Amino acid sequence: MCGIVGIFGIKDKSVASQLVQKMNDAISHRGPDDQGVYADDTIALGHRRLAILDLSPAGHQPMHSADDNLEIVFNGEIYNFLEIREKITGYPFKTRSDKEVILAAYQKWGKECVHQFNGMFAFAIWDKTKKQLFIARDRLGIKPVYYFRNGNEFYFASEIRALLASGRLPRKINKNALGDYFMYQTVHAPATIIENVFMLMPGHCIIADDTQFKIEKYWDIIGNKSRASEGKNYAQVCKDVQQLFEAAVKRRLISDVPFGAFLSGGIDSSAVVGLMSKVQQQPVKTFNISFDESEFSEAKYARIISEKFHTDHKELKLTPADFLKQLPDALKALDHPSGDGPNSYIVSKITRENGITMALSGLGGDELFAGYPVFNRSLDFQNKKWIWQLPMFLRKTAGSLAALVKPGIIGEKYKQLMELPSAAVKDTFPVSRQISLPESIQRLLNVPAKEDAVASIVGNVLEGNEQLGVLSQVSAAEISTYMQNILLRDTDQMSMASALEVRVPFLDYELVEYVMGIKDEFKNPLFPKKLLVDSMGDLLPDEIVHRKKMGFTFPWQHWLKNELKEFCNERIQSLSKRNFMNGKEVIDRWNRFLQGDPGIRWPDIWICVVLENWLLENQIEN
């Protein structure tokens, strides 16, 4: 796991080298083990290394091919690199690293090499003969690539802060993305919070030279779904899922450094730990963050799994005061503002401090195996789709009554649902993911509302795929929005802030493609993630399967009014002076929250605080 940066198009080698070094220094936290720079009269590449495989100096980057024609900078892991290596005859391998296999694969297959890779990756390859740059991002978007273009110059990096460090990018906020941020607590790719900075989409690659700048898609979640489950009974499908998931876990145990697993005691992390224990001889090192308050603590469930699989378990107690103490560092670690993220920072930091450099996570299980309430709600909408055939005036009346009976965001969302054109996932899903209501955001901002990013993404993903099962449609929507733009982004930036690599076996593309093709009848969550649980056989105890779903819960409502009040007030006052904000509305929202108005929830305040704190930290202009 590492960090990559690069500049294409600056003809002065000395200038390009200096700029790349500045960019490299800005992401030193991503790679404390080594760094390197390559530059010629067209390209400059930089790399920060966190050594996981092949810890020797031979793993240094940028790395060149055996014939010295290709240079690569690579962030991530290719889990099947040994299998690919066997397919490539005649290449004089000098290391046992996956990055050299990428070079050999590119030399053999060109841009089509990405179809060979199973892993999480973001890499750039410079072809000296063709004077051509190739950049690729993994299928599910686990590893990031940000970029901007300045005339004939092209800059890319693993983090936005590296692009800003180049000094070539105006530090201006992307006002068109503000509605997206306040509605969904993030900005959805390809846009970012910075004007003219973009994120390469998952499953896409860039080809750039003096005559072209081209972005191509090589994979998408529905177009590549598998048909292998068709004609099979439930037991056969469960067996396939079990085999694919076990293979995914096993692939991710390749490491030359100490590793472990996050263990919350939920279904997903317990399944990962159970399979890790099954396929390796040494006890799995597991980590659980527990709290003094029993209502917040999942520690007892983690202990059940630890005892069942005889793991080397560490229960790390955390008080709200401990969390507050670490909050400033967590906010500084944010590379892109997000309403969620400090939790990931705390877990990663504590895990790294306990001698672990790589950890497996259960991220992706909810999205793939129908673990969120939105899956059942979407099925319910389909069963009641006759409602959307009623005249609009009746639906509007019903929606208005619901808003009166249930004041607040729930009632208002119901009102929105009643006014939608249909019960289809593409219409209903965006409403389910809203953190703030459109009307509220319009009052908050001084800039015109833009297209709903989630509605646009989901509409594009599901276009022409209406015959796909409802649950698979929701999975595609979740993975393409919330998971990629909040969960994975936060996991990457917060884990790398502590130089910790996090691997996610649920996002093995072969498993994802197979599960996306399974019919709804088999995926129906009669109890939480039934298909996954049944596929695991007797691996998971009933206490884990049928317990109440929990998560990190902190007393934010109390903190914002007490311990964090001064911190929040300073940033709210500062944000209110920004020309893109309605200052009166910002202050009014804050005062209403302090006075206990139930219509203003703590997330409504926190996303304002996080945004302004990030803008101040990064010196972003209006």
Side-chain angles (χ1 to χ4, degrees):
M1 194 64 64
C2 308
I4 63 174
V5 301
I7 304 172
F8 173 76
I10 293 183
K11 302 303 181 182
D12 189 320
K13 178 179 175 180
S14 175
V15 171
S17 296
Q18 291 174 17
L19 291 179
V20 159
Q21 189 60 60
K22 287 182 180 180
M23 295 166 69
N24 234 12
D25 292 344
I27 56 170
S28 59
H29 52 277
R30 294 186 72 96
D33 298 328
D34 190 18
Q35 70 161 324
V37 171
Y38 166 85
D40 62 25
D41 58 1
T42 308
I43 193 86
L45 301 173
H47 186 265
R48 300 293 314 206
R49 185 184 184 198
L50 175 63
I52 303 292
L53 292 173
D54 190 357
L55 309 186
S56 73
H60 175 80
Q61 295 186 53
M63 176 183 283
H64 55 263
S65 58
D67 62 2
D68 200 38
N69 182 53
L70 304 176
E71 294 283 339
I72 186 172
V73 285
F74 167 54
N75 171 30
E77 305 289 349
I78 305 298
Y79 304 121
N80 65 333
F81 75 99
L82 293 176
E83 300 163 36
I84 300 170
R85 181 169 172 157
E86 291 179 359
K87 298 179 184 178
I88 304 172
T89 57
Y91 187 94
F93 288 100
K94 297 179 181 179
T95 73
R96 54 180 297 272
S97 69
D98 51 355
K99 62 193 71 69
E100 189 178 19
V101 170
I102 298 175
L103 282 171
Y106 185 76
Q107 198 171 75
K108 180 177 177 63
W109 293 296
K111 67 181 183 180
E112 300 303 318
C113 68
V114 291
H115 297 289
Q116 300 286 329
F117 304 145
N118 187 326
M120 53 182 184
F121 55 84
F123 65 82
I125 293 178
W126 172 242
D127 186 316
K128 299 173 188 177
T129 302
K130 293 182 178 179
K131 298 288 186 182
Q132 188 173 84
L133 178 66
F134 178 74
I135 302 174
R137 189 177 180 208
D138 65 70
R139 296 168 180 83
L140 276 303
I142 303 169
K143 294 290 100 186
V145 177
Y146 296 95
Y147 68 91
F148 81 95
R149 299 171 71 190
N150 181 11
N152 293 325
E153 298 172 9
F154 168 65
Y155 298 70
F156 68 90
S158 295
E159 295 189 7
I160 291 175
R161 74 182 91 227
L163 298 179
L164 294 173
S166 72
R168 297 297 182 102
L169 169 66
R171 294 174 179 254
K172 290 187 177 182
I173 193 167
N174 180 5
K175 295 179 181 179
N176 291 333
L178 287 170
D180 191 19
Y181 173 78
F182 282 105
M183 188 176 293
Y184 296 110
Q185 67 178 337
T186 191
V187 177
H188 289 80
T192 71
I193 197 68
I194 299 295
E195 187 175 277
N196 296 323
V197 171
F198 301 94
M199 196 176 199
L200 182 62
M201 295 294 282
H204 283 65
C205 59
I206 293 173
I207 301 169
D209 56 35
D210 285 338
T211 63
Q212 66 175 334
F213 178 86
K214 185 166 58 175
I215 297 178
E216 296 181 353
K217 178 168 68 173
Y218 70 86
W219 186 90
D220 73 77
I221 191 166
I222 294 182
N224 288 88
K225 73 179 186 300
S226 169
R227 304 175 69 93
S229 64
E230 292 181 5
K232 293 185 176 181
N233 61 36
Y234 186 66
Q236 292 170 323
V237 168
C238 286
K239 183 178 180 181
D240 286 348
V241 169
Q242 191 276 333
Q243 290 176 343
L244 285 166
F245 188 39
E246 183 173 324
V249 170
K250 189 173 182 179
R251 286 189 191 104
R252 284 155 183 81
L253 298 183
I254 301 173
S255 174
D256 293 330
V257 296
F259 63 89
F262 300 136
L263 179 58
S264 69
I267 290 172
D268 301 333
S269 65
S270 298
V272 170
V273 169
L275 289 180
M276 288 177 73
S277 300
K278 182 178 177 181
V279 299
Q280 73 174 51
Q281 294 181 340
Q282 297 296 322
V284 178
K285 294 181 182 293
T286 54
F287 295 86
N288 171 261
I289 307 298
S290 67
F291 307 99
D292 290 344
E293 292 81 356
S294 59
E295 63 178 305
F296 299 145
S297 180
E298 297 181 290
K300 64 179 181 180
Y301 300 110
R303 284 187 219 116
I304 291 172
I305 294 299
S306 173
E307 291 168 6
K308 177 177 174 64
F309 297 112
H310 308 291
T311 73
D312 179 2
H313 188 60
K314 287 195 177 182
E315 186 178 306
L316 306 162
K317 285 188 179 283
L318 187 70
T319 67
D322 295 328
F323 186 91
L324 279 175
K325 193 181 300 181
Q326 308 241 26
L327 189 58
D329 288 339
L331 290 175
K332 285 182 181 178
L334 277 175
D335 182 54
H336 190 285
S338 165
D340 197 8
N343 297 341
S344 299
Y345 176 83
I346 301 298
V347 173
S348 298
K349 186 171 186 290
I350 292 175
T351 302
R352 188 68 172 92
E353 288 172 350
N354 278 270
I356 297 299
T357 308
M358 183 272 282
L360 269 65
S361 164
L363 191 156
D366 284 316
E367 290 78 8
L368 201 55
F369 289 98
Y372 294 132
V374 66
F375 286 91
N376 276 321
R377 278 202 304 269
S378 297
L379 288 175
D380 189 46
F381 290 150
Q382 291 303 303
N383 292 332
K384 297 175 180 176
K385 59 185 178 182
W386 57 268
I387 292 175
W388 281 266
Q389 296 172 359
L390 295 172
M392 178 61 80
F393 80 91
L394 287 178
R395 287 188 279 137
K396 281 189 173 183
T397 301
S400 297
L401 288 173
L404 288 173
V405 173
K406 290 188 174 183
I409 194 164
I410 295 177
E412 289 298 326
K413 280 190 174 186
Y414 188 82
K415 183 179 177 182
Q416 278 191 73
L417 287 167
M418 288 298 95
E419 297 177 9
L420 293 173
S422 78
V425 173
K426 66 179 179 62
D427 292 323
T428 60
F429 178 83
V431 177
S432 73
R433 272 296 168 201
Q434 289 176 5
I435 300 300
S436 296
L437 300 169
E439 296 82 359
S440 170
I441 296 168
Q442 288 174 10
R443 293 194 300 270
L444 194 63
L445 297 177
N446 277 340
V447 292
K450 297 296 180 181
E451 184 180 27
D452 184 322
V454 170
S456 177
I457 291 169
V458 173
N460 289 333
V461 169
L462 298 182
E463 184 178 6
N465 294 295
E466 291 80 6
Q467 300 307 310
L468 187 67
V470 169
L471 297 178
S472 288
Q473 289 188 50
V474 177
S475 282
E478 284 285 358
I479 288 170
S480 302
T481 56
Y482 177 69
M483 190 194 79
Q484 286 176 357
N485 295 278
I486 294 182
L487 295 182
L488 287 176
R489 180 185 280 172
D490 286 352
T491 296
D492 175 78
Q493 61 187 345
M494 291 310 198
S495 63
M496 292 311 297
S498 298
L500 175 75
E501 174 177 302
V502 176
R503 298 179 178 179
V504 282
F506 278 111
L507 299 188
D508 186 285
Y509 84 92
E510 293 180 358
L511 175 65
V512 171
E513 289 179 354
Y514 184 86
V515 175
M516 283 298 297
I518 298 174
K519 57 186 178 182
D520 276 3
E521 177 188 347
F522 290 169
K523 288 199 284 191
N524 199 336
L526 301 175
F527 57 82
K529 287 170 273 199
K530 181 179 184 297
L531 174 60
L532 174 61
V533 171
D534 289 346
S535 298
M536 295 299 100
D538 59 359
L539 191 75
L540 302 177
D542 287 344
E543 303 99 304
I544 301 301
V545 173
H546 298 294
R547 77 175 181 86
K548 181 181 178 183
K549 185 176 177 65
M550 298 171 68
F552 284 106
T553 306
F554 292 104
W556 287 101
Q557 188 91 358
H558 172 83
W559 284 346
L560 267 58
K561 293 181 180 180
N562 295 276
E563 290 90 341
L564 293 174
K565 183 178 179 180
E566 183 178 350
F567 176 85
C568 292
N569 187 61
E570 289 176 357
R571 281 143 187 83
I572 291 291
Q573 297 294 334
S574 178
L575 182 67
S576 71
K577 296 177 174 63
R578 301 271 184 179
N579 62 20
F580 52 79
M581 301 298 297
N582 180 341
K584 183 177 181 300
E585 180 68 21
V586 174
I587 299 299
D588 181 61
R589 177 183 284 205
W590 173 232
N591 289 332
R592 286 168 59 196
F593 172 76
L594 293 176
Q595 293 162 11
D597 186 334
I600 305 296
R601 303 158 305 135
W602 73 261
D604 300 323
I605 301 300
W606 186 240
I607 56 174
C608 293
V609 172
V610 170
L611 175 62
E612 181 60 19
N613 188 78
W614 191 87
L615 296 175
L616 292 172
E617 287 278 351
N618 292 278
Q619 303 175 331
I620 306 302
E621 305 168 7
N622 287 339

